[in-house]
mmCIF file of all heavy atoms in Angstrom:
data_model
loop_
_atom_site.group_PDB
_atom_site.id
_atom_site.type_symbol
_atom_site.label_atom_id
_atom_site.label_comp_id
_atom_site.label_asym_id
_atom_site.label_seq_id
_atom_site.Cartn_x
_atom_site.Cartn_y
_atom_site.Cartn_z
ATOM 1 N N GLY A 21 -62.111 4.728 -12.396
ATOM 2 C CA GLY A 21 -63.455 5.293 -12.409
ATOM 3 C C GLY A 21 -64.073 5.062 -13.770
ATOM 4 O O GLY A 21 -63.410 5.263 -14.797
ATOM 5 N N ILE A 22 -65.314 4.638 -13.789
ATOM 6 C CA ILE A 22 -66.009 4.334 -15.039
ATOM 7 C C ILE A 22 -67.252 5.208 -15.136
ATOM 8 O O ILE A 22 -68.047 5.261 -14.194
ATOM 9 C CB ILE A 22 -66.413 2.848 -15.104
ATOM 10 C CG1 ILE A 22 -65.169 1.954 -14.992
ATOM 11 C CG2 ILE A 22 -67.199 2.551 -16.382
ATOM 12 C CD1 ILE A 22 -65.474 0.484 -14.782
ATOM 13 N N VAL A 23 -67.382 5.885 -16.265
ATOM 14 C CA VAL A 23 -68.588 6.682 -16.517
ATOM 15 C C VAL A 23 -69.396 5.949 -17.579
ATOM 16 O O VAL A 23 -68.910 5.730 -18.691
ATOM 17 C CB VAL A 23 -68.237 8.113 -16.984
ATOM 18 C CG1 VAL A 23 -69.506 8.902 -17.261
ATOM 19 C CG2 VAL A 23 -67.370 8.818 -15.944
ATOM 20 N N GLY A 24 -70.605 5.563 -17.210
ATOM 21 C CA GLY A 24 -71.473 4.805 -18.101
ATOM 22 C C GLY A 24 -71.544 3.363 -17.653
ATOM 23 O O GLY A 24 -70.541 2.662 -17.673
ATOM 24 N N ALA A 25 -72.708 2.927 -17.199
ATOM 25 C CA ALA A 25 -72.869 1.563 -16.688
ATOM 26 C C ALA A 25 -73.798 0.737 -17.576
ATOM 27 O O ALA A 25 -74.556 -0.099 -17.097
ATOM 28 C CB ALA A 25 -73.393 1.608 -15.258
ATOM 29 N N GLY A 26 -73.688 0.969 -18.876
ATOM 30 C CA GLY A 26 -74.422 0.136 -19.822
ATOM 31 C C GLY A 26 -73.655 -1.154 -20.054
ATOM 32 O O GLY A 26 -72.871 -1.588 -19.211
ATOM 33 N N GLN A 27 -73.826 -1.736 -21.209
ATOM 34 C CA GLN A 27 -73.186 -3.023 -21.500
ATOM 35 C C GLN A 27 -71.667 -2.968 -21.360
ATOM 36 O O GLN A 27 -71.068 -3.832 -20.718
ATOM 37 C CB GLN A 27 -73.569 -3.482 -22.906
ATOM 38 C CG GLN A 27 -72.978 -4.816 -23.266
ATOM 39 C CD GLN A 27 -73.356 -5.269 -24.674
ATOM 40 O OE1 GLN A 27 -74.109 -4.601 -25.377
ATOM 41 N NE2 GLN A 27 -72.842 -6.400 -25.076
ATOM 42 N N MET A 28 -71.024 -1.968 -21.942
ATOM 43 C CA MET A 28 -69.554 -1.890 -21.874
ATOM 44 C C MET A 28 -69.077 -1.575 -20.455
ATOM 45 O O MET A 28 -68.141 -2.201 -19.961
ATOM 46 C CB MET A 28 -69.029 -0.833 -22.851
ATOM 47 C CG MET A 28 -69.193 -1.199 -24.303
ATOM 48 S SD MET A 28 -68.237 -2.644 -24.797
ATOM 49 C CE MET A 28 -66.641 -1.892 -24.979
ATOM 50 N N GLY A 29 -69.688 -0.611 -19.812
ATOM 51 C CA GLY A 29 -69.295 -0.263 -18.450
ATOM 52 C C GLY A 29 -69.500 -1.414 -17.485
ATOM 53 O O GLY A 29 -68.634 -1.711 -16.658
ATOM 54 N N ARG A 30 -70.636 -2.073 -17.596
ATOM 55 C CA ARG A 30 -70.936 -3.225 -16.736
ATOM 56 C C ARG A 30 -69.924 -4.344 -16.982
ATOM 57 O O ARG A 30 -69.449 -4.982 -16.045
ATOM 58 C CB ARG A 30 -72.361 -3.706 -16.998
ATOM 59 C CG ARG A 30 -72.848 -4.748 -16.041
ATOM 60 C CD ARG A 30 -74.321 -5.081 -16.245
ATOM 61 N NE ARG A 30 -74.602 -5.534 -17.603
ATOM 62 C CZ ARG A 30 -75.340 -4.864 -18.488
ATOM 63 N NH1 ARG A 30 -75.882 -3.713 -18.178
ATOM 64 N NH2 ARG A 30 -75.539 -5.358 -19.704
ATOM 65 N N MET A 32 -66.851 -3.951 -17.936
ATOM 66 C CA MET A 32 -65.584 -3.521 -17.323
ATOM 67 C C MET A 32 -65.583 -3.822 -15.831
ATOM 68 O O MET A 32 -64.603 -4.319 -15.280
ATOM 69 C CB MET A 32 -65.366 -2.026 -17.534
ATOM 70 C CG MET A 32 -65.102 -1.594 -18.947
ATOM 71 S SD MET A 32 -63.686 -2.418 -19.680
ATOM 72 C CE MET A 32 -62.466 -2.203 -18.420
ATOM 73 N N VAL A 47 -68.276 3.983 -10.109
ATOM 74 C CA VAL A 47 -69.011 3.902 -11.366
ATOM 75 C C VAL A 47 -70.123 4.938 -11.326
ATOM 76 O O VAL A 47 -70.888 5.014 -10.371
ATOM 77 C CB VAL A 47 -69.615 2.495 -11.599
ATOM 78 C CG1 VAL A 47 -70.461 2.474 -12.863
ATOM 79 C CG2 VAL A 47 -68.508 1.452 -11.664
ATOM 80 N N SER A 48 -70.191 5.727 -12.382
ATOM 81 C CA SER A 48 -71.207 6.764 -12.504
ATOM 82 C C SER A 48 -72.114 6.451 -13.682
ATOM 83 O O SER A 48 -71.655 5.991 -14.722
ATOM 84 C CB SER A 48 -70.520 8.114 -12.735
ATOM 85 O OG SER A 48 -71.465 9.098 -13.065
ATOM 86 N N ASP A 49 -73.386 6.714 -13.483
ATOM 87 C CA ASP A 49 -74.358 6.596 -14.561
ATOM 88 C C ASP A 49 -75.480 7.591 -14.273
ATOM 89 O O ASP A 49 -75.742 7.909 -13.107
ATOM 90 C CB ASP A 49 -74.928 5.166 -14.630
ATOM 91 C CG ASP A 49 -75.671 4.909 -15.931
ATOM 92 O OD1 ASP A 49 -76.875 5.224 -16.014
ATOM 93 O OD2 ASP A 49 -75.034 4.399 -16.872
ATOM 94 N N ILE A 50 -76.142 8.085 -15.312
ATOM 95 C CA ILE A 50 -77.219 9.052 -15.094
ATOM 96 C C ILE A 50 -78.365 8.440 -14.286
ATOM 97 O O ILE A 50 -79.148 9.160 -13.689
ATOM 98 C CB ILE A 50 -77.738 9.673 -16.417
ATOM 99 C CG1 ILE A 50 -78.226 8.595 -17.379
ATOM 100 C CG2 ILE A 50 -76.672 10.542 -17.042
ATOM 101 C CD1 ILE A 50 -78.908 9.143 -18.617
ATOM 102 N N LYS A 51 -78.431 7.121 -14.263
ATOM 103 C CA LYS A 51 -79.372 6.401 -13.396
ATOM 104 C C LYS A 51 -78.538 5.597 -12.410
ATOM 105 O O LYS A 51 -77.911 4.606 -12.788
ATOM 106 C CB LYS A 51 -80.258 5.455 -14.217
ATOM 107 C CG LYS A 51 -81.191 6.161 -15.172
ATOM 108 C CD LYS A 51 -82.047 5.153 -15.904
ATOM 109 C CE LYS A 51 -82.980 5.852 -16.884
ATOM 110 N NZ LYS A 51 -83.772 4.869 -17.641
ATOM 111 N N GLU A 91 -74.408 9.211 -9.499
ATOM 112 C CA GLU A 91 -75.004 9.760 -10.716
ATOM 113 C C GLU A 91 -74.148 10.850 -11.336
ATOM 114 O O GLU A 91 -74.289 11.160 -12.507
ATOM 115 C CB GLU A 91 -76.398 10.338 -10.407
ATOM 116 C CG GLU A 91 -77.425 9.292 -10.091
ATOM 117 C CD GLU A 91 -78.785 9.880 -9.767
ATOM 118 O OE1 GLU A 91 -78.871 11.054 -9.363
ATOM 119 O OE2 GLU A 91 -79.777 9.151 -9.918
ATOM 120 N N ASP A 92 -73.266 11.443 -10.570
ATOM 121 C CA ASP A 92 -72.501 12.608 -11.008
ATOM 122 C C ASP A 92 -71.155 12.187 -11.599
ATOM 123 O O ASP A 92 -70.247 11.781 -10.869
ATOM 124 C CB ASP A 92 -72.294 13.558 -9.831
ATOM 125 C CG ASP A 92 -71.781 14.918 -10.251
ATOM 126 O OD1 ASP A 92 -71.142 15.027 -11.324
ATOM 127 O OD2 ASP A 92 -71.999 15.885 -9.486
ATOM 128 N N ALA A 93 -71.007 12.308 -12.902
ATOM 129 C CA ALA A 93 -69.758 11.928 -13.574
ATOM 130 C C ALA A 93 -68.574 12.762 -13.098
ATOM 131 O O ALA A 93 -67.423 12.311 -13.189
ATOM 132 C CB ALA A 93 -69.912 12.062 -15.085
ATOM 133 N N ASN A 94 -68.830 13.948 -12.573
ATOM 134 C CA ASN A 94 -67.740 14.774 -12.055
ATOM 135 C C ASN A 94 -67.007 14.092 -10.904
ATOM 136 O O ASN A 94 -65.812 14.305 -10.722
ATOM 137 C CB ASN A 94 -68.270 16.133 -11.591
ATOM 138 C CG ASN A 94 -68.758 16.973 -12.742
ATOM 139 O OD1 ASN A 94 -68.104 17.071 -13.776
ATOM 140 N ND2 ASN A 94 -69.933 17.562 -12.585
ATOM 141 N N VAL A 96 -66.162 11.046 -10.658
ATOM 142 C CA VAL A 96 -65.162 10.133 -11.214
ATOM 143 C C VAL A 96 -63.885 10.891 -11.566
ATOM 144 O O VAL A 96 -62.781 10.457 -11.248
ATOM 145 C CB VAL A 96 -65.727 9.386 -12.443
ATOM 146 C CG1 VAL A 96 -64.668 8.528 -13.101
ATOM 147 C CG2 VAL A 96 -66.932 8.540 -12.042
ATOM 148 N N VAL A 105 -59.575 7.033 -15.716
ATOM 149 C CA VAL A 105 -60.998 7.196 -15.977
ATOM 150 C C VAL A 105 -61.332 6.561 -17.321
ATOM 151 O O VAL A 105 -60.621 6.757 -18.303
ATOM 152 C CB VAL A 105 -61.383 8.694 -15.979
ATOM 153 C CG1 VAL A 105 -62.833 8.889 -16.406
ATOM 154 C CG2 VAL A 105 -61.126 9.310 -14.602
ATOM 155 N N ILE A 106 -62.423 5.815 -17.331
ATOM 156 C CA ILE A 106 -62.913 5.201 -18.561
ATOM 157 C C ILE A 106 -64.249 5.836 -18.906
ATOM 158 O O ILE A 106 -65.147 5.876 -18.064
ATOM 159 C CB ILE A 106 -63.120 3.687 -18.392
ATOM 160 C CG1 ILE A 106 -61.810 2.998 -18.042
ATOM 161 C CG2 ILE A 106 -63.731 3.082 -19.654
ATOM 162 C CD1 ILE A 106 -61.976 1.544 -17.660
ATOM 163 N N ASP A 107 -64.378 6.334 -20.123
ATOM 164 C CA ASP A 107 -65.679 6.819 -20.582
ATOM 165 C C ASP A 107 -66.300 5.728 -21.434
ATOM 166 O O ASP A 107 -65.752 5.345 -22.459
ATOM 167 C CB ASP A 107 -65.572 8.106 -21.399
ATOM 168 C CG ASP A 107 -66.954 8.543 -21.848
ATOM 169 O OD1 ASP A 107 -67.647 9.181 -21.046
ATOM 170 O OD2 ASP A 107 -67.355 8.182 -22.968
ATOM 171 N N ALA A 108 -67.450 5.240 -20.975
ATOM 172 C CA ALA A 108 -68.171 4.194 -21.691
ATOM 173 C C ALA A 108 -69.599 4.633 -21.990
ATOM 174 O O ALA A 108 -70.514 3.828 -22.004
ATOM 175 C CB ALA A 108 -68.171 2.903 -20.861
ATOM 176 N N THR A 109 -69.787 5.935 -22.221
ATOM 177 C CA THR A 109 -71.143 6.457 -22.390
ATOM 178 C C THR A 109 -71.649 6.387 -23.821
ATOM 179 O O THR A 109 -72.841 6.232 -24.040
ATOM 180 C CB THR A 109 -71.226 7.924 -21.931
ATOM 181 O OG1 THR A 109 -70.390 8.729 -22.773
ATOM 182 C CG2 THR A 109 -70.832 8.073 -20.480
ATOM 183 N N GLY A 110 -70.779 6.591 -24.794
ATOM 184 C CA GLY A 110 -71.228 6.654 -26.182
ATOM 185 C C GLY A 110 -71.856 7.989 -26.537
ATOM 186 O O GLY A 110 -72.403 8.155 -27.620
ATOM 187 N N VAL A 111 -71.763 8.962 -25.642
ATOM 188 C CA VAL A 111 -72.340 10.286 -25.868
ATOM 189 C C VAL A 111 -71.188 11.272 -26.070
ATOM 190 O O VAL A 111 -70.409 11.502 -25.146
ATOM 191 C CB VAL A 111 -73.222 10.720 -24.672
ATOM 192 C CG1 VAL A 111 -73.836 12.084 -24.930
ATOM 193 C CG2 VAL A 111 -74.296 9.670 -24.392
ATOM 194 N N PRO A 112 -71.048 11.844 -27.266
ATOM 195 C CA PRO A 112 -69.878 12.667 -27.577
ATOM 196 C C PRO A 112 -69.595 13.805 -26.597
ATOM 197 O O PRO A 112 -68.456 13.947 -26.143
ATOM 198 C CB PRO A 112 -70.172 13.219 -28.974
ATOM 199 C CG PRO A 112 -71.092 12.215 -29.577
ATOM 200 C CD PRO A 112 -71.929 11.707 -28.444
ATOM 201 N N ASP A 113 -70.587 14.604 -26.255
ATOM 202 C CA ASP A 113 -70.299 15.743 -25.377
ATOM 203 C C ASP A 113 -69.988 15.298 -23.950
ATOM 204 O O ASP A 113 -69.143 15.890 -23.279
ATOM 205 C CB ASP A 113 -71.421 16.783 -25.406
ATOM 206 C CG ASP A 113 -72.784 16.244 -25.011
ATOM 207 O OD1 ASP A 113 -73.055 15.048 -25.250
ATOM 208 O OD2 ASP A 113 -73.582 17.030 -24.466
ATOM 209 N N VAL A 114 -70.616 14.224 -23.494
ATOM 210 C CA VAL A 114 -70.303 13.701 -22.164
ATOM 211 C C VAL A 114 -68.870 13.175 -22.149
ATOM 212 O O VAL A 114 -68.096 13.464 -21.237
ATOM 213 C CB VAL A 114 -71.301 12.601 -21.740
ATOM 214 C CG1 VAL A 114 -70.869 11.947 -20.434
ATOM 215 C CG2 VAL A 114 -72.699 13.179 -21.607
ATOM 216 N N GLY A 115 -68.508 12.408 -23.167
ATOM 217 C CA GLY A 115 -67.147 11.880 -23.249
ATOM 218 C C GLY A 115 -66.099 12.975 -23.280
ATOM 219 O O GLY A 115 -65.048 12.865 -22.656
ATOM 220 N N ALA A 116 -66.381 14.051 -23.995
ATOM 221 C CA ALA A 116 -65.447 15.172 -24.076
ATOM 222 C C ALA A 116 -65.248 15.804 -22.707
ATOM 223 O O ALA A 116 -64.114 16.084 -22.296
ATOM 224 C CB ALA A 116 -65.955 16.212 -25.076
ATOM 225 N N LYS A 117 -66.338 16.022 -21.986
ATOM 226 C CA LYS A 117 -66.234 16.626 -20.658
ATOM 227 C C LYS A 117 -65.532 15.696 -19.683
ATOM 228 O O LYS A 117 -64.655 16.115 -18.927
ATOM 229 C CB LYS A 117 -67.613 17.003 -20.119
ATOM 230 C CG LYS A 117 -67.520 17.691 -18.757
ATOM 231 C CD LYS A 117 -68.840 18.218 -18.292
ATOM 232 C CE LYS A 117 -68.823 18.958 -16.981
ATOM 233 N NZ LYS A 117 -67.669 18.905 -16.136
ATOM 234 N N VAL A 118 -65.905 14.438 -19.688
ATOM 235 C CA VAL A 118 -65.279 13.464 -18.786
ATOM 236 C C VAL A 118 -63.773 13.417 -19.027
ATOM 237 O O VAL A 118 -62.971 13.488 -18.097
ATOM 238 C CB VAL A 118 -65.917 12.063 -18.966
ATOM 239 C CG1 VAL A 118 -65.088 10.985 -18.286
ATOM 240 C CG2 VAL A 118 -67.349 12.063 -18.431
ATOM 241 N N ALA A 119 -63.382 13.297 -20.287
ATOM 242 C CA ALA A 119 -61.958 13.176 -20.616
ATOM 243 C C ALA A 119 -61.176 14.436 -20.255
ATOM 244 O O ALA A 119 -60.102 14.348 -19.652
ATOM 245 C CB ALA A 119 -61.788 12.851 -22.096
ATOM 246 N N VAL A 130 -59.005 6.242 -20.639
ATOM 247 C CA VAL A 130 -59.226 5.215 -21.655
ATOM 248 C C VAL A 130 -60.605 5.506 -22.243
ATOM 249 O O VAL A 130 -61.604 5.525 -21.539
ATOM 250 C CB VAL A 130 -59.184 3.795 -21.065
ATOM 251 C CG1 VAL A 130 -59.495 2.762 -22.147
ATOM 252 C CG2 VAL A 130 -57.823 3.517 -20.436
ATOM 253 N N MET A 131 -60.638 5.756 -23.537
ATOM 254 C CA MET A 131 -61.870 6.161 -24.211
ATOM 255 C C MET A 131 -62.497 4.972 -24.922
ATOM 256 O O MET A 131 -61.964 4.476 -25.919
ATOM 257 C CB MET A 131 -61.558 7.276 -25.215
ATOM 258 C CG MET A 131 -62.773 7.869 -25.891
ATOM 259 S SD MET A 131 -63.976 8.618 -24.788
ATOM 260 C CE MET A 131 -63.074 10.059 -24.196
ATOM 261 N N LEU A 132 -63.618 4.492 -24.386
ATOM 262 C CA LEU A 132 -64.411 3.485 -25.091
ATOM 263 C C LEU A 132 -65.426 4.161 -25.996
ATOM 264 O O LEU A 132 -66.047 3.515 -26.829
ATOM 265 C CB LEU A 132 -65.159 2.590 -24.097
ATOM 266 C CG LEU A 132 -64.321 1.671 -23.239
ATOM 267 C CD1 LEU A 132 -65.220 0.842 -22.325
ATOM 268 C CD2 LEU A 132 -63.464 0.757 -24.083
ATOM 269 N N ASN A 133 -65.595 5.434 -25.813
ATOM 270 C CA ASN A 133 -66.582 6.244 -26.514
ATOM 271 C C ASN A 133 -66.001 6.676 -27.873
ATOM 272 O O ASN A 133 -65.427 7.743 -28.007
ATOM 273 C CB ASN A 133 -66.908 7.452 -25.625
ATOM 274 C CG ASN A 133 -67.985 8.341 -26.145
ATOM 275 O OD1 ASN A 133 -68.304 8.329 -27.323
ATOM 276 N ND2 ASN A 133 -68.527 9.145 -25.251
ATOM 277 N N VAL A 134 -66.170 5.826 -28.868
ATOM 278 C CA VAL A 134 -65.601 6.102 -30.182
ATOM 279 C C VAL A 134 -66.177 7.380 -30.784
ATOM 280 O O VAL A 134 -65.499 8.088 -31.529
ATOM 281 C CB VAL A 134 -65.771 4.894 -31.136
ATOM 282 C CG1 VAL A 134 -67.221 4.681 -31.503
ATOM 283 C CG2 VAL A 134 -64.940 5.062 -32.382
ATOM 284 N N GLU A 135 -67.399 7.707 -30.414
ATOM 285 C CA GLU A 135 -68.031 8.919 -30.930
ATOM 286 C C GLU A 135 -67.255 10.168 -30.508
ATOM 287 O O GLU A 135 -67.058 11.086 -31.299
ATOM 288 C CB GLU A 135 -69.489 8.997 -30.453
ATOM 289 C CG GLU A 135 -70.390 7.906 -31.008
ATOM 290 C CD GLU A 135 -70.305 6.569 -30.260
ATOM 291 O OE1 GLU A 135 -69.536 6.442 -29.273
ATOM 292 O OE2 GLU A 135 -71.008 5.631 -30.672
ATOM 293 N N THR A 136 -66.812 10.184 -29.265
ATOM 294 C CA THR A 136 -66.003 11.318 -28.787
ATOM 295 C C THR A 136 -64.634 11.305 -29.442
ATOM 296 O O THR A 136 -64.130 12.339 -29.878
ATOM 297 C CB THR A 136 -65.853 11.274 -27.256
ATOM 298 O OG1 THR A 136 -67.146 11.394 -26.668
ATOM 299 C CG2 THR A 136 -64.962 12.399 -26.757
ATOM 300 N N ASP A 137 -64.027 10.139 -29.504
ATOM 301 C CA ASP A 137 -62.687 10.038 -30.070
ATOM 302 C C ASP A 137 -62.655 10.492 -31.521
ATOM 303 O O ASP A 137 -61.714 11.168 -31.947
ATOM 304 C CB ASP A 137 -62.173 8.608 -29.946
ATOM 305 C CG ASP A 137 -60.695 8.512 -30.273
ATOM 306 O OD1 ASP A 137 -59.895 9.228 -29.636
ATOM 307 O OD2 ASP A 137 -60.343 7.735 -31.173
#
Side-chain angles (χ1 to χ4, degrees):
I22 301 169
V23 179
Q27 181 180 357
M28 291 296 281
R30 188 174 57 247
M32 292 303 311
V47 176
S48 171
D49 194 274
I50 57 173
K51 294 182 181 177
E91 290 179 337
D92 193 335
N94 292 315
V96 175
V105 174
I106 299 171
D107 180 83
T109 64
V111 181
D113 58 330
V114 173
K117 182 173 182 348
V118 167
V130 177
M131 185 60 69
L132 292 181
N133 184 340
V134 69
E135 294 82 0
T136 298
D137 191 56

